[in-house]
């Protein structure tokens, strides 16, 4: 099974599915949905086989490596390989896409839009997402990094709501500008690194690059990834895009696409530019902590449910940021686990918010009030999704947040202490949202909306059940995932040239930091 070309097949499979769905006549919308769902489930099944074939103990850092000649004159190849960080992200993608496709079943108004086009765009987006995490050639990574913008641009601009054109253009321009910074660094890296784009070769070659040059190359990559994540102060495109995109697409936007930024920092910034990473770490951690507090305060003041969830994601990415730049294996493992758990929790929250918005015809918090009296089960699912988002003990995000904070506290006590304020603010904005949306006096206007009397349907139960189950299972038993992540994080810390702090024993046997 190890010899099977998992990554290339996994990358191309959604693209083939997208082409098949795109050629289904517009009048056969149900067929297009079924084919898209079946294709995404096929990708999930293949991903499960890949997970089973992964060697956890004693395996190589990069597994399932494939390489095919692409542009010999440039030294660019179709090279695929996955470490533990990439593997868990590929599994997250494989899990979320069938859920989102099923959740988006009735999102397209056939009178004005083509359902086959929408679901073909979702599958093409899955193709780019898998490719960007599976690529082990930096030029190939850059190509996937850029083309992922295209399907999401059309999803937001054609199938979104509100200021969808503005949001789509802003999303595209922000990411495109960031990509240009990275392209400059990719070219510089190719020239100085022996005219190769192979990641493993460049890790060796960058050791001889001048310190100042390496810092500039690092910044080119970092700006692109910080915009994609997004980190403060590069975050302003996300609330607009998340608020305008269809709920399912927004779940993918914050659930998987944003992770490309943090993944890129871990894979490329830290491993290729270790000295520059250590040099920039204090600034990066300061920006991350500011982002936690700033985004949480803005979330508290939002009246739009989708924008509120978008701001919560910016705050969560602050935790991932301090976990990455704390340079401890605990914090690093917590950051990667947070990437997975955030995708599950925020993906669930966006999907459930989408169910509320579809029924009410509005995303404004003030247009709800007491909705739990009409839809008690769906209100309960929203409550659970909110609690998972604020990292309640017993849910998966708590484990990752705890690892990030204790791993950061051992090296940067001040940042860890300030970051904990974000936990308090998270409780405020989540509970405020739940209280004003589902609790309290019933808004009389809700009784005049027929859809508000329909509680959770069978299809919606199938959508939310796997995400709820994973959030609970990983909340109590994250070991299968952390066992895969740990070796990759340890190898990355080795690339950076840092070691975990060793507790000191003071006189009298007291253990100190």
């Amino acid at each position: 099974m190890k010899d099977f070309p998992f990554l290339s097949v996994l990358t191309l499979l959604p693209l083939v599915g997208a082409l098949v769905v795109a050629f289904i006549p517009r009048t056969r919308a149900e067929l297009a949905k079924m084919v898209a769902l079946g294709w995404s489930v096929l990708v999930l099944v293949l991903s499960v086989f890949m997970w089973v074939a992964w060697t956890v103990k004693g395996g190589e850092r990069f597994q399932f490596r494939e390489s095919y000649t692409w542009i010999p004159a440039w030294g660019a190849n179709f090279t695929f390989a996955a470490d533990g960080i990439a593997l868990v992200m590929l599994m997250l993608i494989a899990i979320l896409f069938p859920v989102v496709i099923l959740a988006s079943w009735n999102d397209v108004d056939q009178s004005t839009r083509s359902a086959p086009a929408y679901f073909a765009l979702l599958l093409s987006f899955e193709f780019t997402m898998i490719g960007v995490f599976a690529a082990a050639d930096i030029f190939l990574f850059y190509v996937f990094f850029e083309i992922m913008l295209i399907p999401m641009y059309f999803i937001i601009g054609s199938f979104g709501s509100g200021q969808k054109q503005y949001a789509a253009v802003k999303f595209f321009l922000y990411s495109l500008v960031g990509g240009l910074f990275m392209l400059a660094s990719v070219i510089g890296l190719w020239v100085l690194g022996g005219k190769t784009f192979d990641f493993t070769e460049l890790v060796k070659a960058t050791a001889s690059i001048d310190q100042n040059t390496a810092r500039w190359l690092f910044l080119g990559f970092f700006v692109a990834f910080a915009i994609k994540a997004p980190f403060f102060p590069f975050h302003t495109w996300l609330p607009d895009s998340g608020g305008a995109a269809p709920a399912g697409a927004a779940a993918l936007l914050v659930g998987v696409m944003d992770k490309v930024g943090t993944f890129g920092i871990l894979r490329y910034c830290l491993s290729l530019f270790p000295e520059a990473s250590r040099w920039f770490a204090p600034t990066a951690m300061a920006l991350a902590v500011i982002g936690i507090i700033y985004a949480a305060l803005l979330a508290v003041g939002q009246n739009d449910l989708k924008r509120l969830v978008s701001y919560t994601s910016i705050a969560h990415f602050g935790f991932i940021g301090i976990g990455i730049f704390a340079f401890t294996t605990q914090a690093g493992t917590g950051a990667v686990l947070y990437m997975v758990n955030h995708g599950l929790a925020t993906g669930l929250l966006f999907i459930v918010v989408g169910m509320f918005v579809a029924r009410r015809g509005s995303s404004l918090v003030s247009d709800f009030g007491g909705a739990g009296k009409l839809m008690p089960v769906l209100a309960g699912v929203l409550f659970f999704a909110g609690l998972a988002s604020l990292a309640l003990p017993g849910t998966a995000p708590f484990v990752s947040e705890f690892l990030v904070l204790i791993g950061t506290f051992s090296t940067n006590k001040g940042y860890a202490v300030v970051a904990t304020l974000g936990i308090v603010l998270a409780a405020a904005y989540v509970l405020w949202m739940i209280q004003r949306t589902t609790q309290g006096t019933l808004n009389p206007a809700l009784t005049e909306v027929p859809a508000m009397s329909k509680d959770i349907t069978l299809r919606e139960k199938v959508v939310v059940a796997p995400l709820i189950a994973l959030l609970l299972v990983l909340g109590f038993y994250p070991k299968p995932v952390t066992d895969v992540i740990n070796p990759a994080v340890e190898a990355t810390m080795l690339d950076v040239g840092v070691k975990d702090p060793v507790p000191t024993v003071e006189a009298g046997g007291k253990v100190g930091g």
Side-chain angles (χ1 to χ4, degrees):
M1 189 182 291
K2 292 283 289 186
D3 296 330
F4 184 80
F6 280 108
L7 295 175
S8 58
V9 173
L10 203 60
T11 301
L12 291 175
L13 201 56
L15 179 60
V16 175
L19 293 173
V20 172
V21 173
F23 281 100
I24 295 176
R26 179 171 176 170
T27 54
R28 304 293 303 277
E30 290 301 315
L31 176 62
K33 296 173 187 177
M34 294 298 296
V35 172
L37 178 61
W39 220 281
S40 64
V41 171
L42 181 60
V43 173
L44 174 59
V45 171
L46 183 60
S47 300
V48 171
F49 278 109
M50 182 175 66
W51 181 277
V52 173
W54 181 266
T55 303
V56 177
K57 294 184 179 180
E60 296 180 355
R61 176 181 180 181
F62 291 96
Q63 300 181 34
F64 309 125
R65 183 178 175 86
E66 308 169 48
S67 189
Y68 311 97
T69 301
W70 183 17
I71 311 175
W74 295 0
N77 299 298
F78 286 108
T79 302
F80 300 98
D83 61 359
I85 300 170
L87 181 66
V88 295
M89 293 311 303
L90 290 170
M91 279 303 304
L92 175 65
I93 292 167
I95 291 168
L96 279 182
F97 268 88
V99 170
V100 166
I101 288 174
L102 192 58
S104 306
W105 209 255
N106 299 320
D107 282 0
V108 180
D109 183 357
Q110 272 293 99
S111 64
T112 57
R113 292 288 182 267
S114 169
Y118 179 72
F119 289 97
L121 285 170
L122 285 179
L123 286 175
S124 62
F125 186 57
E126 184 176 23
F127 154 68
T128 63
M129 286 292 93
I130 293 174
V132 80
F133 287 109
D137 178 281
I138 291 185
F139 186 72
L140 180 62
F141 171 85
Y142 171 76
V143 170
F144 278 116
F145 185 88
E146 292 292 68
I147 64 173
M148 76 170 67
L149 304 179
I150 299 173
M152 185 54 70
Y153 169 79
F154 284 108
I155 288 172
I156 297 172
S158 298
F159 297 91
S161 59
Q163 293 184 309
K164 57 184 182 180
Q165 296 293 342
Y166 168 79
V169 171
K170 188 174 183 178
F171 157 77
F172 193 89
L173 290 179
Y174 265 65
S175 297
L176 186 64
V177 170
L180 292 176
F181 278 97
M182 184 167 71
L183 178 60
S185 288
V186 166
I187 295 172
L189 198 59
W190 180 78
V191 172
L192 299 173
K195 297 186 177 180
T196 179
F197 289 112
D198 186 85
F199 173 75
T200 54
E201 294 298 321
L202 285 172
V203 170
K204 302 173 186 176
T206 51
S208 59
I209 295 179
D210 173 72
Q211 184 182 92
N212 289 331
T213 303
R215 289 179 178 180
W216 282 109
L217 294 175
F218 166 89
L219 288 174
F221 278 97
F222 180 82
V223 169
F225 296 141
I227 291 173
K228 186 73 73 179
F231 286 128
F232 175 88
F234 308 102
H235 64 283
T236 60
W237 65 267
L238 181 59
D240 293 320
S241 300
L252 296 175
L253 191 69
V254 301
V256 293
M257 198 199 79
D258 290 357
K259 308 304 185 302
V260 174
T262 48
F263 171 81
I265 293 172
L266 279 162
R267 168 70 67 83
Y268 298 104
C269 288
L270 268 59
S271 294
L272 293 175
F273 312 107
E275 187 279 332
S277 299
R278 297 191 300 269
W279 162 74
F280 193 70
T283 302
M285 293 192 71
L287 292 176
V289 170
I290 292 171
I292 292 173
I293 307 302
Y294 173 77
L297 290 173
L298 287 179
V300 172
Q302 293 302 308
N303 188 42
D304 186 290
L305 284 168
K306 292 164 73 175
R307 289 180 66 88
L308 190 155
V309 178
S310 298
Y311 275 114
T312 69
S313 295
I314 298 170
H316 293 152
F317 272 94
F319 282 101
I320 297 173
I322 64 172
I324 292 172
F325 285 98
F327 294 140
T328 66
T329 53
Q330 273 185 330
T333 298
V336 177
L337 189 60
Y338 212 136
M339 290 161 61
V340 176
N341 294 337
H342 174 266
L344 297 173
T346 307
L348 175 62
L349 187 57
F350 246 124
I351 287 170
V352 179
V353 163
M355 294 174 184
F356 273 81
V357 173
R359 284 167 167 79
R360 182 65 176 92
S362 171
S363 60
L364 298 181
V365 176
S366 55
D367 284 341
F368 289 88
K373 293 179 172 62
L374 300 176
M375 303 178 297
V377 178
L378 191 57
V381 176
L382 179 66
F383 184 55
F384 174 83
L387 293 179
S389 181
L390 65 81
L392 184 76
T395 62
F398 170 76
V399 180
S400 43
E401 199 167 275
F402 182 75
L403 284 173
V404 165
L405 289 175
I406 62 173
T408 303
F409 190 82
S410 61
T411 57
N412 298 274
K413 294 181 176 62
Y415 289 123
V417 170
V418 176
T420 56
L421 295 176
I423 301 174
V424 179
L425 292 173
Y429 59 67
V430 167
L431 296 178
W432 173 83
M433 176 189 70
I434 299 296
Q435 192 275 329
R436 292 192 60 189
T437 305
T438 64
Q439 305 301 310
T441 304
L442 176 64
N443 183 349
L446 298 184
T447 59
E448 300 174 6
V449 182
M452 291 299 297
S453 62
K454 299 176 183 178
D455 206 346
I456 191 167
T457 65
L458 177 60
R459 176 181 60 84
E460 291 169 340
K461 289 177 182 177
V462 175
V463 168
V464 302
L467 298 181
I468 292 173
L470 283 170
L471 287 168
L472 290 173
V473 170
L474 294 179
F476 286 94
Y477 191 66
K479 188 175 185 298
V481 179
T482 55
D483 283 348
V484 171
I485 295 171
N486 272 327
V489 171
E490 291 172 357
T492 303
M493 293 301 106
L494 189 63
D495 288 341
V496 179
V498 295
K499 295 181 179 179
D500 288 337
V502 179
T504 57
V505 179
E506 300 175 0
K510 181 180 178 181
V511 178

